[in-house]
Amino acid sequence: MGGHVFGRSSAQPRTALRGEGCYLYDADGRAYLDGSGGAAVSCLGHSDPEVRAAMHAQLDTLAFAHTGFFTSEPAEDLADLLVANAPAGIDRVYLLSGGSEAVEASIKLARQYFLEIGQPGRHRVIARRQSYHGNTLGALAAGGNAWRREKYAPLLVETSHIAPCYEYRFREDGESAEAYGLRAADELEAEIERLGPDSVMAFIAEPVVGATAGAVPAVEGYFKRIREICDRHGVLLILDEVMCGMGRTGTLFACEQDGVAPDIVAIAKGLGAGYMPIGAMLCSAAIHDAIAAGSGSFQHGHTYHGHPLAAAAGGAVLRAILGRDLLPRVREKGARLQAALTERFGQHAHVGDIRGRGLFRAIEVVEDRATKEPFDPARKINARIKAAAMDEGLVCYPAGGTVDGRKGDHVLLAPPYIIEDAQIDELTDKLGRALDRALA
C-alpha cells in the first residue's frame, strides 16, 4: 500500500477486499461478520445481485446529467417510490449524496420557507443534547454531541439544545414512562418561549438516536407532544432518519412507530445500502408550494445531487426492502437479536441497558449496574471493545460519550436485514468475548 490515504486516524486500518452477504473479507482472507452494517448502512448485505444489476444497467445508459439542465428517469422513479411510502403530507424529494447533505438541505429549506411566507425573523434551530446530525458545519451545529462539536465550536452557528428523551438515564424513580416523555417534550415548549416563538424556525431530532447515544428510542407519547408543540408555535418539525430510517427499525420510516409525520425528513445510509453514496431530503407539499409560488427556486444545490446512477441504486434498494417483505423480517430478526442480547448480557455485571427497535440495537456498558455509573473515559472502553471485536471477526459500532459527550460507552448493532438466526448467535458470541476481553 502506498499509504497516501488520509485516514480517520494515524493507525493503518485493515484492507477490505470483498464482501458477500453479511460478511466482509480482508486482504488476508479473514472473514468479519458485519454486525453494524458499517455505520447502519449495509442493510442488504454486500453482494445483492438485483442492486448490482440495476447499477450496471444504468451505467450502460446514463451515469450523470447535471440537475441544472436535466432530470433523469431513475431520480423521478425513486422520488415517486419514496413519496408513495412516506409519512402523511410528504410530497417532494430532493436527492443528495449523503446524510450530512440531507440535514444541511433540511435546515436551509426551513430558513427559505419562512422567508418565502414573510416570517424572516424565524432563524433559530432547537435540537437535543446527545444527538448527531452530521459532520458538515450546519449539521454539526445542529447536533448535540459535545465531543464532536468541541474543536469546531467557533465556526458553528448558535443552536439551542434541550434534553434528549433517554429513559434509561433520565426517567426518575416512580415516574411513568409516559409522564417522563411529556416532561422531556415540554422542554421544547419552554425553550421556544425562552427564545421567542417568532424567532424559532425548526426543531430537529432523530426518532431513534443512533451514533451518539446508541439506539435510544423515544418513549410512547413523546413525539406526539413534540408535534403538538411545533404546530402550536408554527415551528417546523425536522426528523433525521439518516441512520434509523429505511426499514432499520422495522418500518420504512422510523417515525411511523411514533404516530407522527414531520414537515421535513432526512434519509440516507440504508437508502443506498452502501452501493452508492445517496441521501434525500423529503418535505411537505406546503413547504415546496410556498417556494414554487414565491421565488420559484430553492437556493441550494450540489454537483452530484440527483445523480442518476445513485438514484438507480437507491431505487433498487428500496424495491428490495419493500418487495421482499424485509420490513416484517427486520421486526422478527430484531426481536430475535434483542432476545439473544438479553440472554447473553442481561445479567452481565457491566451491561446496564439493552435497547432499540428492529435491527437497530445497542448495549450500554457501565462500571456499576446498580448506580449506572459509567467507566472512566480514560480507560477508552469503547475503543478496546472495537479492537477486540475486530480480532474476533466482528464489525460492531462502539462509541464513547454516551451520557454527556464525555462519559459513557455503548455498542451499536445494525446488521443487514438478511441476517440469519445462526449469524445472530455468532454476533452475540463474538461480542460477548470481545466485551470480556476489553474489560479484563
Side-chain angles (χ1 to χ4, degrees):
M1 293 290 173
H4 294 294
V5 169
F6 197 147
R8 286 175 174 253
S9 74
S10 56
Q12 178 64 33
R14 306 168 204 220
T15 300
L17 208 59
R18 65 185 183 91
E20 188 172 332
C22 293
Y23 295 89
L24 289 161
Y25 298 85
D26 70 13
D28 297 323
R30 182 109 188 265
Y32 302 82
L33 176 62
D34 193 356
S36 60
V41 176
S42 300
C43 58
L44 299 181
H46 294 279
S47 54
D48 191 273
E50 290 183 14
V51 178
R52 288 160 51 207
M55 292 174 66
H56 280 290
Q58 185 60 42
L59 190 58
D60 287 342
T61 55
L62 175 70
F64 174 69
H66 195 282
T67 50
F69 308 96
F70 296 100
T71 185
S72 68
E73 289 181 346
E76 296 288 341
D77 173 66
L78 177 54
D80 289 347
L81 193 56
L82 282 167
V83 168
N85 292 279
I90 295 295
D91 188 66
R92 297 285 170 158
V93 177
Y94 197 90
L95 294 174
L96 296 146
S97 297
S100 294
E101 284 189 14
V103 170
E104 291 277 333
S106 299
I107 293 168
K108 290 177 76 173
L109 180 65
R111 172 60 181 162
Q112 185 170 340
Y113 167 72
F114 284 113
L115 290 175
E116 301 277 0
I117 65 170
Q119 297 183 31
R122 289 191 186 261
H123 66 283
R124 296 187 183 276
V125 174
I126 301 174
R128 303 187 297 183
R129 293 189 290 278
Q130 284 312 94
S131 59
Y132 178 63
H133 297 299
N135 258 333
T136 51
L137 289 175
L140 190 63
N145 181 260
W147 173 76
R148 282 177 170 83
R149 292 168 56 90
E150 185 180 22
K151 287 183 173 66
Y152 306 105
L155 309 179
L156 302 181
V157 67
E158 183 184 349
T159 305
S160 295
H161 292 97
I162 62 171
C165 187
Y166 186 178
E167 184 180 13
Y168 172 66
R169 285 283 169 189
F170 301 123
R171 179 159 72 92
E172 295 173 355
D173 290 342
E175 186 177 33
S176 71
E178 182 182 23
Y180 164 62
L182 298 180
R183 175 169 66 84
D186 285 344
E187 282 205 24
L188 174 60
E189 187 144 52
E191 185 63 9
I192 290 171
E193 289 172 350
R194 186 186 75 81
L195 293 169
D198 292 345
S199 73
V200 179
M201 70 178 186
F203 174 66
I204 183 168
E206 301 158 272
V208 182
V209 182
T212 53
V216 178
V219 297
E220 189 172 351
Y222 171 83
F223 271 108
K224 285 187 175 179
R225 174 64 69 91
I226 290 289
R227 179 74 268 183
E228 290 168 5
I229 293 167
C230 288
D231 289 344
R232 186 154 58 243
H233 295 287
V235 171
L236 296 180
L237 175 59
I238 301 173
L239 292 182
D240 177 350
E241 297 212 3
V242 167
M243 191 173 255
C244 62
M246 296 298 97
R248 175 55 61 190
T249 63
T251 49
L252 190 64
F253 289 85
C255 62
E256 294 173 44
Q257 295 172 57
D258 296 291
V260 298
D263 300 295
I264 302 172
V265 57
I267 57 174
K269 295 187 184 290
L271 178 61
Y275 291 90
M276 279 294 290
I278 187 170
M281 178 271 288
L282 288 68
C283 73
S284 67
I287 293 173
H288 172 269
D289 293 350
I291 292 174
S295 66
S297 63
F298 179 28
Q299 194 175 322
H300 184 63
H302 295 277
T303 299
Y304 282 108
H305 95 243
H307 193 276
L309 182 57
V317 169
L318 189 52
R319 282 191 170 81
I321 293 170
L322 298 171
R324 299 178 198 167
D325 288 329
L326 290 180
L327 296 175
R329 182 184 173 86
V330 169
R331 296 191 288 271
E332 176 202 339
K333 298 303 179 189
R336 175 76 170 70
L337 176 58
Q338 180 75 9
L341 292 170
T342 301
E343 183 180 348
R344 179 64 179 79
F345 301 107
Q347 299 303 315
H348 195 288
H350 297 293
V351 174
D353 195 27
I354 304 168
R355 55 181 177 248
R357 290 181 187 166
L359 283 171
F360 199 42
R361 302 281 168 174
I363 62 171
E364 184 163 337
V365 181
V366 293
E367 186 163 27
D368 188 311
R369 272 173 63 112
T371 65
K372 305 180 184 179
E373 181 65 27
F375 280 99
D376 181 346
R379 289 191 62 180
K380 298 183 177 178
I381 296 295
N382 60 87
R384 292 170 66 171
I385 295 171
K386 181 179 178 180
M390 288 291 281
D391 288 344
E392 291 285 345
L394 172 67
V395 177
C396 58
Y397 192 171
T402 311
V403 180
D404 57 8
R406 192 181 73 85
K407 294 185 296 184
D409 300 276
H410 68 265
V411 181
L412 185 66
L413 302 167
Y417 304 167
I418 60 172
I419 194 168
E420 301 286 353
D421 288 353
Q423 293 166 334
I424 289 175
D425 293 338
E426 179 188 345
L427 187 163
T428 309
D429 289 345
K430 287 180 172 179
L431 180 59
R433 291 196 297 272
L435 180 62
D436 291 342
R437 281 179 56 194
L439 296 174

